[in-house]
Amino acid sequence: MRKLSEKYIYLQVARAIEDKIARKVLCPGDKIPSVRVLMRDAGVSRKTVEKAIDELRRRGVIYTRDRIGHFVADTGSMRNTWLEGFEAGQTEEAMVARLILGGQDRARSFSSAVLETELIPAARIATLAKQAIGHSWDDFVTLELPPGSVRLRRLIAQALRRRGVTCSAEDVLITEGDNTFLRLLLQFLSKRFGAIAHDRICYFGCLRAVEGLTLSVHKLESDSVRGFDTERAIALIEAGRIGMLFLNPTLSNPLGYTLPLEDRRRLVRAAQARDCVIIEDDVFDGLLEAKDSPLPLKAFDETGCVLYLGSLSKVLAPGLRVGWCLPGRFHADLTGKLLSENRCISTPGQRIAERLIGSQMLEDHLKGVRQIFARQRQEILGLIATHFPAGTQISRPLAGGVYWITLPDNVDADRFFAALEAGGIEVSRGTIFGAPQTPASFRLCMTRRLCAATRAVLIEIGEIAARG
């Protein structure tokens, strides 16, 4: 066990319990030792043990029965927390900031999945902003209360109907288009459903949101080729063991898979039969050609069980902070929750989005981004095949610029990531997405044009990996 500073000794206690679960000493449904026994065995205070239990409960590793004790949750084979591999002295917030902001040298930073500035049509967005202001300054600065701009909701509904989703403006709720609404949504749903399932290797925003809730968590085996274990997900739904399923089915972040159409249909059918809620995070919509993009799960929803999330953050400009949700039967409740917490979405962002959604400018932008990513995809795969050690695995997403890379077993993960850090190279370690510490894995975001500088850094990463 890695030695932590005194301040973080509770993590050692938590990891010792996780280790027993991983070695099958403790199995799903087993009661873990009492606080008194854990204090005695670890030689720590009650406060330290209670903090360790809170940590495990937040991550869904254990659950609590009042006045009975703490029990191992049925989450499949255990893996390290997404915080594993970072410096123990850092706060969670600092770790996330490092992940999202990347390094000082943007040419050596591949950690953010949003488009780099060079691919954002800033001048054209600025023109739209000026037009919006010129149309009516008062309209531009007036507070727009939830559910959001009627015009924008109407345009979003029209765009979704073109993708096979039956909806109207009244079904749409405007959101911030980032993790904030996802956290609020999961918090709201956790009071109605006690268990959730998601990919074992999953978007870190979902993992962080779930960690703060009292939920039983089922982690579905997943990889970049087959996606997640659909059969197990359906079995959990049909057995009534979960009330929620979170998935990112199109160009999944971070693995890159796209869920087949028939699997989407089957999941919705099972969810409708058992009153299970599916949270469909479709933020990469637009990066796939229409002919290659399967219908959203929401297109098969007849009962309001699929809560659909969309956003401009990943495909256009994250700074607009505009997204949308089709919350089904929870529309009134979620609108009320946003109002009660005074959560209003940027009016300027909505006004600009009104001029973007369904426009030729947005279509031209998305077409250009798709062409750039498609042209450089084979070169990226070729650079990795040539310069990374034999046995390296890389995802092959249908589109987009997010790649999942797994290095051979003989590459020492700690030494590899330490060498990247020493060289000022930023990638997103696999552990923050729930992947194991070994073999070393990471998300590589090539959401920019491939140039001489980025080619050189890719080759450098491969050479570091080849040193083992």
Side-chain angles (χ1 to χ4, degrees):
M1 186 185 301
R2 186 177 59 185
K3 180 67 175 175
L4 299 177
S5 66
E6 196 65 29
K7 181 179 178 182
Y8 291 90
I9 197 69
Y10 76 94
L11 289 177
Q12 285 188 314
V13 178
R15 287 174 187 169
I17 295 172
E18 283 188 288
D19 182 62
K20 289 183 178 180
I21 297 171
R23 293 186 290 109
K24 308 297 184 185
V25 176
L26 291 171
C27 298
D30 287 353
K31 184 178 180 181
I32 70 170
S34 67
V35 171
R36 187 183 301 276
V37 171
L38 292 171
M39 287 169 56
R40 183 197 66 204
D41 291 350
V44 296
S45 68
R46 173 178 288 273
K47 183 177 180 180
T48 297
V49 170
E50 289 175 345
K51 195 170 181 181
I53 288 172
D54 285 344
E55 172 73 13
L56 294 172
R57 190 165 49 213
R58 284 193 313 111
R59 299 206 318 269
V61 176
I62 63 174
Y63 62 94
T64 301
R65 293 179 181 169
D66 290 343
R67 301 182 182 180
I68 298 177
H70 309 288
F71 297 81
V72 178
D74 182 7
T75 58
S77 58
M78 296 303 302
R79 287 179 176 167
N80 292 327
T81 168
W82 73 281
L83 297 177
E84 183 72 47
F86 285 95
E87 297 173 19
Q90 287 185 307
T91 64
E92 292 185 15
E93 289 73 18
M95 296 172 194
V96 174
R98 179 173 160 187
L99 164 69
I100 295 173
L101 297 177
Q104 295 297 314
D105 184 352
R106 298 305 301 165
R108 300 175 73 79
S109 181
F110 304 90
S111 59
S112 178
V114 301
L115 297 181
E116 285 292 323
T117 305
E118 64 191 84
L119 295 185
I120 297 174
R124 284 183 283 179
I125 292 175
T127 298
L128 294 179
K130 291 175 183 177
Q131 291 173 357
I133 295 172
H135 179 263
S136 171
W137 175 253
D138 289 339
D139 187 48
F140 198 73
V141 298
T142 301
L143 185 64
E144 189 78 69
L145 295 174
S149 158
V150 174
R151 182 185 177 199
L152 178 57
R153 288 187 285 126
R154 187 179 299 121
L155 290 168
I156 290 168
Q158 289 174 0
L160 287 170
R161 285 198 295 272
R162 288 194 291 271
R163 296 197 63 213
V165 177
T166 302
C167 63
S168 67
E170 287 69 34
D171 299 313
V172 180
L173 180 62
I174 303 302
T175 73
E176 298 97 326
D178 61 6
N179 288 340
T180 308
F181 183 76
L182 176 60
R183 293 174 75 92
L184 178 142
L185 178 61
L186 288 170
Q187 181 187 54
F188 168 79
L189 292 173
S190 69
K191 296 177 181 178
R192 291 156 175 78
F193 305 99
I196 188 171
H198 59 66
D199 292 58
R200 181 171 293 282
I201 300 176
C202 183
Y203 172 51
F204 79 92
C206 174
L207 295 183
R208 292 204 75 215
V210 169
E211 282 178 357
L213 304 172
T214 306
L215 285 170
S216 177
V217 182
H218 299 261
K219 299 179 182 180
L220 304 168
E221 293 300 331
S222 52
D223 62 46
S224 62
V225 178
R226 296 183 299 273
F228 70 91
D229 189 344
T230 307
E231 297 304 323
R232 175 162 167 74
I234 291 173
L236 289 169
I237 293 171
E238 291 178 341
R241 297 179 64 187
I242 59 172
M244 292 181 281
L245 171 65
F246 174 87
L247 46 81
N248 180 201
T250 302
L251 302 178
S252 175
N253 182 11
L255 293 178
Y257 67 81
T258 294
L259 198 66
L261 182 66
E262 186 54 33
D263 284 351
R264 298 172 185 235
R265 196 190 310 270
R266 293 173 61 220
L267 284 166
V268 175
R269 189 183 303 129
Q272 289 181 151
R274 296 293 301 191
D275 198 32
C276 176
V277 168
I278 297 176
I279 302 169
E280 180 179 14
D281 190 11
D282 199 21
V283 293
F284 291 103
D285 172 38
L287 293 184
L288 259 180
E289 292 277 3
K291 62 180 178 61
D292 298 323
S293 183
L295 292 175
L297 279 80
K298 187 66 180 174
F300 305 109
D301 182 17
E302 298 176 353
T303 64
C305 72
V306 177
L307 280 60
Y308 179 91
L309 304 178
S311 173
L312 292 176
S313 294
K314 295 292 195 297
V315 299
L316 181 64
L320 288 178
R321 279 295 179 255
V322 174
W324 47 92
C325 175
L326 270 62
R329 63 181 184 268
F330 301 108
H331 192 289
D333 290 326
L334 287 167
T335 300
K337 185 168 181 61
L338 290 173
L339 286 167
S340 67
E341 296 185 8
N342 197 27
R343 300 274 290 279
C344 300
I345 313 308
S346 162
T347 300
Q350 292 188 68
R351 294 292 174 264
I352 295 169
E354 288 171 359
R355 288 162 169 76
L356 281 168
I357 302 296
S359 70
Q360 190 59 47
M361 183 212 129
L362 181 58
E363 289 304 311
D364 290 344
H365 160 74
L366 291 173
K367 180 179 179 180
V369 170
R370 288 195 296 263
Q371 289 174 346
I372 289 169
F373 287 161
R375 280 198 304 267
Q376 59 194 36
R377 179 173 181 266
Q378 288 306 315
E379 185 174 358
I380 291 169
L381 296 175
L383 285 168
I384 291 171
T386 302
H387 298 283
F388 280 59
T392 296
Q393 299 175 31
I394 180 170
S395 64
R396 296 174 180 269
L398 297 176
V402 176
Y403 297 88
W404 182 259
I405 298 175
T406 304
L407 299 176
D409 291 340
N410 64 336
V411 176
D412 184 282
D414 289 336
R415 189 161 59 227
F416 171 72
F417 288 117
L420 291 186
E421 184 176 354
I425 300 173
E426 291 284 348
V427 297
S428 304
R429 301 188 190 193
T431 49
I432 68 166
F433 301 101
Q437 181 75 2
T438 56
S441 60
F442 59 96
R443 185 187 72 178
L444 180 82
C445 296
M446 190 60 69
T447 49
R448 67 186 75 186
R449 285 187 172 88
L450 191 61
C451 63
T454 50
R455 288 186 187 93
V457 179
L458 274 180
I459 292 171
E460 186 178 347
I461 295 173
E463 291 172 345
I464 292 171
R467 293 200 291 266

